[in-house]
mmCIF file of all heavy atoms in Angstrom:
data_model
loop_
_atom_site.group_PDB
_atom_site.id
_atom_site.type_symbol
_atom_site.label_atom_id
_atom_site.label_comp_id
_atom_site.label_asym_id
_atom_site.label_seq_id
_atom_site.Cartn_x
_atom_site.Cartn_y
_atom_site.Cartn_z
ATOM 1 N N ILE N 17 6.883 -32.159 10.563
ATOM 2 C CA ILE N 17 8.070 -32.979 11.066
ATOM 3 C C ILE N 17 8.937 -32.011 12.097
ATOM 4 O O ILE N 17 9.349 -32.502 13.078
ATOM 5 C CB ILE N 17 8.887 -33.499 9.826
ATOM 6 C CG1 ILE N 17 8.147 -34.569 9.104
ATOM 7 C CG2 ILE N 17 10.276 -34.075 10.477
ATOM 8 C CD1 ILE N 17 8.930 -35.024 7.897
ATOM 9 N N LEU N 22 10.619 -30.569 17.477
ATOM 10 C CA LEU N 22 10.760 -29.609 18.496
ATOM 11 C C LEU N 22 9.921 -29.971 19.845
ATOM 12 O O LEU N 22 10.457 -29.764 20.850
ATOM 13 C CB LEU N 22 10.085 -28.195 18.003
ATOM 14 C CG LEU N 22 9.955 -27.060 18.978
ATOM 15 C CD1 LEU N 22 11.383 -26.632 19.471
ATOM 16 C CD2 LEU N 22 9.246 -25.941 18.357
ATOM 17 N N TRP N 26 11.490 -30.427 23.428
ATOM 18 C CA TRP N 26 10.971 -29.727 24.537
ATOM 19 C C TRP N 26 10.505 -30.609 25.749
ATOM 20 O O TRP N 26 10.809 -30.340 26.854
ATOM 21 C CB TRP N 26 9.784 -28.935 23.943
ATOM 22 C CG TRP N 26 8.989 -27.908 24.785
ATOM 23 C CD1 TRP N 26 9.359 -27.826 26.194
ATOM 24 C CD2 TRP N 26 7.956 -27.075 24.568
ATOM 25 N NE1 TRP N 26 8.423 -26.988 26.770
ATOM 26 C CE2 TRP N 26 7.568 -26.509 25.756
ATOM 27 C CE3 TRP N 26 7.244 -26.953 23.353
ATOM 28 C CZ2 TRP N 26 6.518 -25.615 25.803
ATOM 29 C CZ3 TRP N 26 6.218 -25.994 23.467
ATOM 30 C CH2 TRP N 26 5.797 -25.340 24.555
ATOM 31 N N VAL N 46 0.588 -29.299 28.676
ATOM 32 C CA VAL N 46 -0.259 -28.280 28.007
ATOM 33 C C VAL N 46 -1.396 -29.017 27.252
ATOM 34 O O VAL N 46 -2.515 -28.528 27.235
ATOM 35 C CB VAL N 46 0.694 -27.536 26.939
ATOM 36 C CG1 VAL N 46 -0.198 -26.594 26.124
ATOM 37 C CG2 VAL N 46 1.766 -26.689 27.641
ATOM 38 N N ARG N 52 -8.528 -31.415 28.842
ATOM 39 C CA ARG N 52 -9.453 -31.416 30.052
ATOM 40 C C ARG N 52 -10.397 -30.220 30.022
ATOM 41 O O ARG N 52 -11.567 -30.295 30.551
ATOM 42 C CB ARG N 52 -8.562 -31.209 31.316
ATOM 43 C CG ARG N 52 -9.246 -31.376 32.568
ATOM 44 C CD ARG N 52 -8.358 -31.445 33.715
ATOM 45 N NE ARG N 52 -7.361 -30.317 33.780
ATOM 46 C CZ ARG N 52 -6.198 -30.417 34.212
ATOM 47 N NH1 ARG N 52 -5.792 -31.374 34.807
ATOM 48 N NH2 ARG N 52 -5.452 -29.276 34.208
ATOM 49 N N TRP N 56 -14.309 -25.051 27.308
ATOM 50 C CA TRP N 56 -14.053 -23.713 27.779
ATOM 51 C C TRP N 56 -13.047 -22.938 26.900
ATOM 52 O O TRP N 56 -13.323 -21.862 26.444
ATOM 53 C CB TRP N 56 -13.499 -23.744 29.228
ATOM 54 C CG TRP N 56 -13.254 -22.353 29.779
ATOM 55 C CD1 TRP N 56 -14.181 -21.412 30.109
ATOM 56 C CD2 TRP N 56 -11.973 -21.784 30.191
ATOM 57 N NE1 TRP N 56 -13.607 -20.364 30.696
ATOM 58 C CE2 TRP N 56 -12.281 -20.603 30.796
ATOM 59 C CE3 TRP N 56 -10.680 -22.246 30.139
ATOM 60 C CZ2 TRP N 56 -11.214 -19.732 31.161
ATOM 61 C CZ3 TRP N 56 -9.657 -21.463 30.581
ATOM 62 C CH2 TRP N 56 -9.942 -20.179 31.082
ATOM 63 N N LEU N 69 -11.907 -11.271 13.312
ATOM 64 C CA LEU N 69 -12.487 -11.177 11.943
ATOM 65 C C LEU N 69 -13.331 -9.817 11.680
ATOM 66 O O LEU N 69 -13.301 -9.380 10.666
ATOM 67 C CB LEU N 69 -13.458 -12.411 11.677
ATOM 68 C CG LEU N 69 -12.818 -13.821 11.646
ATOM 69 C CD1 LEU N 69 -13.830 -14.917 11.391
ATOM 70 C CD2 LEU N 69 -11.797 -13.808 10.471
ATOM 71 N N PHE N 72 -10.730 -7.202 11.161
ATOM 72 C CA PHE N 72 -10.075 -7.395 9.981
ATOM 73 C C PHE N 72 -11.014 -6.989 8.830
ATOM 74 O O PHE N 72 -10.583 -6.309 7.825
ATOM 75 C CB PHE N 72 -9.674 -8.831 9.741
ATOM 76 C CG PHE N 72 -9.234 -9.306 8.359
ATOM 77 C CD1 PHE N 72 -7.998 -8.820 7.951
ATOM 78 C CD2 PHE N 72 -9.983 -10.083 7.598
ATOM 79 C CE1 PHE N 72 -7.397 -9.119 6.737
ATOM 80 C CE2 PHE N 72 -9.541 -10.321 6.301
ATOM 81 C CZ PHE N 72 -8.346 -9.910 5.835
ATOM 82 N N ILE N 117 -12.317 3.822 27.450
ATOM 83 C CA ILE N 117 -13.109 4.910 28.130
ATOM 84 C C ILE N 117 -14.182 5.444 27.145
ATOM 85 O O ILE N 117 -15.256 5.761 27.653
ATOM 86 C CB ILE N 117 -12.022 6.099 28.420
ATOM 87 C CG1 ILE N 117 -11.098 5.667 29.502
ATOM 88 C CG2 ILE N 117 -12.835 7.308 28.947
ATOM 89 C CD1 ILE N 117 -10.038 6.663 29.810
ATOM 90 N N LEU N 119 -15.665 3.792 24.564
ATOM 91 C CA LEU N 119 -16.602 2.870 24.013
ATOM 92 C C LEU N 119 -17.055 1.848 25.001
ATOM 93 O O LEU N 119 -17.842 1.004 24.675
ATOM 94 C CB LEU N 119 -15.973 2.181 22.761
ATOM 95 C CG LEU N 119 -15.580 3.016 21.549
ATOM 96 C CD1 LEU N 119 -14.872 2.170 20.602
ATOM 97 C CD2 LEU N 119 -16.758 3.735 21.067
ATOM 98 N N PHE N 131 -8.783 -3.047 14.191
ATOM 99 C CA PHE N 131 -8.935 -2.328 12.932
ATOM 100 C C PHE N 131 -7.695 -1.255 12.833
ATOM 101 O O PHE N 131 -7.048 -1.231 11.802
ATOM 102 C CB PHE N 131 -10.154 -1.523 12.956
ATOM 103 C CG PHE N 131 -10.223 -0.321 11.953
ATOM 104 C CD1 PHE N 131 -10.500 -0.635 10.656
ATOM 105 C CD2 PHE N 131 -10.097 1.057 12.345
ATOM 106 C CE1 PHE N 131 -10.565 0.386 9.674
ATOM 107 C CE2 PHE N 131 -10.101 1.938 11.496
ATOM 108 C CZ PHE N 131 -10.303 1.744 10.072
ATOM 109 N N VAL N 138 -3.259 -2.720 4.838
ATOM 110 C CA VAL N 138 -4.101 -2.757 3.744
ATOM 111 C C VAL N 138 -3.940 -1.553 2.859
ATOM 112 O O VAL N 138 -3.927 -1.622 1.530
ATOM 113 C CB VAL N 138 -5.614 -2.948 4.190
ATOM 114 C CG1 VAL N 138 -6.501 -2.922 3.020
ATOM 115 C CG2 VAL N 138 -5.796 -4.098 5.054
ATOM 116 N N ILE N 140 -1.310 0.519 2.563
ATOM 117 C CA ILE N 140 -0.040 0.595 1.824
ATOM 118 C C ILE N 140 0.008 -0.381 0.650
ATOM 119 O O ILE N 140 0.411 0.053 -0.479
ATOM 120 C CB ILE N 140 1.121 0.219 2.808
ATOM 121 C CG1 ILE N 140 1.302 1.423 3.874
ATOM 122 C CG2 ILE N 140 2.434 0.125 2.107
ATOM 123 C CD1 ILE N 140 1.582 2.767 3.273
ATOM 124 N N HIS N 144 0.083 0.526 -3.345
ATOM 125 C CA HIS N 144 1.173 0.105 -4.214
ATOM 126 C C HIS N 144 0.623 -0.702 -5.426
ATOM 127 O O HIS N 144 1.040 -0.602 -6.578
ATOM 128 C CB HIS N 144 1.995 -0.800 -3.385
ATOM 129 C CG HIS N 144 3.065 -1.555 -4.240
ATOM 130 N ND1 HIS N 144 4.213 -0.865 -4.703
ATOM 131 C CD2 HIS N 144 3.172 -2.913 -4.524
ATOM 132 C CE1 HIS N 144 4.945 -1.780 -5.373
ATOM 133 N NE2 HIS N 144 4.380 -2.962 -5.327
ATOM 134 N N ILE N 196 -5.795 -9.327 20.826
ATOM 135 C CA ILE N 196 -5.298 -9.768 22.085
ATOM 136 C C ILE N 196 -4.893 -8.590 22.909
ATOM 137 O O ILE N 196 -5.059 -8.541 24.193
ATOM 138 C CB ILE N 196 -4.059 -10.624 21.774
ATOM 139 C CG1 ILE N 196 -4.374 -11.937 21.056
ATOM 140 C CG2 ILE N 196 -3.247 -11.082 23.091
ATOM 141 C CD1 ILE N 196 -5.374 -12.711 21.809
ATOM 142 N N VAL N 201 -6.210 -5.344 27.891
ATOM 143 C CA VAL N 201 -6.507 -4.014 28.482
ATOM 144 C C VAL N 201 -7.815 -4.155 29.292
ATOM 145 O O VAL N 201 -7.909 -3.670 30.423
ATOM 146 C CB VAL N 201 -6.692 -2.870 27.428
ATOM 147 C CG1 VAL N 201 -7.119 -1.659 28.076
ATOM 148 C CG2 VAL N 201 -5.311 -2.607 26.776
ATOM 149 N N GLN N 204 -13.470 -9.757 29.835
ATOM 150 C CA GLN N 204 -13.847 -10.805 30.751
ATOM 151 C C GLN N 204 -13.886 -12.199 30.009
ATOM 152 O O GLN N 204 -14.342 -13.124 30.581
ATOM 153 C CB GLN N 204 -15.185 -10.495 31.402
ATOM 154 C CG GLN N 204 -15.125 -9.339 32.351
ATOM 155 C CD GLN N 204 -14.142 -9.386 33.438
ATOM 156 O OE1 GLN N 204 -14.096 -10.444 34.076
ATOM 157 N NE2 GLN N 204 -13.424 -8.404 33.661
ATOM 158 N N TYR N 209 -7.703 -12.586 27.640
ATOM 159 C CA TYR N 209 -8.151 -12.551 29.091
ATOM 160 C C TYR N 209 -7.635 -13.823 29.888
ATOM 161 O O TYR N 209 -7.179 -13.657 31.042
ATOM 162 C CB TYR N 209 -9.682 -12.611 29.105
ATOM 163 C CG TYR N 209 -10.247 -12.898 30.456
ATOM 164 C CD1 TYR N 209 -10.177 -12.003 31.500
ATOM 165 C CD2 TYR N 209 -10.787 -14.188 30.662
ATOM 166 C CE1 TYR N 209 -10.677 -12.342 32.801
ATOM 167 C CE2 TYR N 209 -11.379 -14.462 31.966
ATOM 168 C CZ TYR N 209 -11.286 -13.570 32.951
ATOM 169 O OH TYR N 209 -11.788 -13.919 34.119
ATOM 170 N N SER N 213 -5.312 -13.451 33.177
ATOM 171 C CA SER N 213 -5.622 -14.037 34.475
ATOM 172 C C SER N 213 -4.729 -15.164 34.918
ATOM 173 O O SER N 213 -4.446 -15.264 36.044
ATOM 174 C CB SER N 213 -7.079 -14.608 34.260
ATOM 175 O OG SER N 213 -7.212 -15.623 33.306
ATOM 176 N N ALA N 214 -4.155 -15.893 33.920
ATOM 177 C CA ALA N 214 -3.262 -16.937 34.276
ATOM 178 C C ALA N 214 -1.881 -16.338 34.768
ATOM 179 O O ALA N 214 -1.191 -16.923 35.642
ATOM 180 C CB ALA N 214 -3.071 -17.870 33.086
ATOM 181 N N ALA N 225 -1.170 -22.964 26.825
ATOM 182 C CA ALA N 225 -2.324 -23.582 26.053
ATOM 183 C C ALA N 225 -3.020 -22.490 25.250
ATOM 184 O O ALA N 225 -3.353 -22.724 24.128
ATOM 185 C CB ALA N 225 -3.330 -24.185 27.219
ATOM 186 N N ARG N 252 -6.575 -15.486 -12.777
ATOM 187 C CA ARG N 252 -6.004 -14.574 -13.672
ATOM 188 C C ARG N 252 -5.194 -15.273 -14.872
ATOM 189 O O ARG N 252 -5.288 -14.793 -15.912
ATOM 190 C CB ARG N 252 -5.065 -13.678 -12.806
ATOM 191 C CG ARG N 252 -5.551 -12.668 -11.901
ATOM 192 C CD ARG N 252 -4.614 -11.772 -11.318
ATOM 193 N NE ARG N 252 -4.116 -10.899 -12.439
ATOM 194 C CZ ARG N 252 -2.901 -10.260 -12.246
ATOM 195 N NH1 ARG N 252 -2.169 -10.327 -11.176
ATOM 196 N NH2 ARG N 252 -2.454 -9.488 -13.266
#
Side-chain angles (χ1 to χ4, degrees):
I17 293 173
L22 175 63
W26 183 356
V46 175
R52 187 172 54 204
W56 182 66
L69 294 178
F72 174 70
I117 294 173
L119 301 175
F131 164 79
V138 179
I140 292 298
H144 173 74
I196 298 302
V201 174
Q204 296 299 316
Y209 165 72
S213 60
R252 286 190 66 198

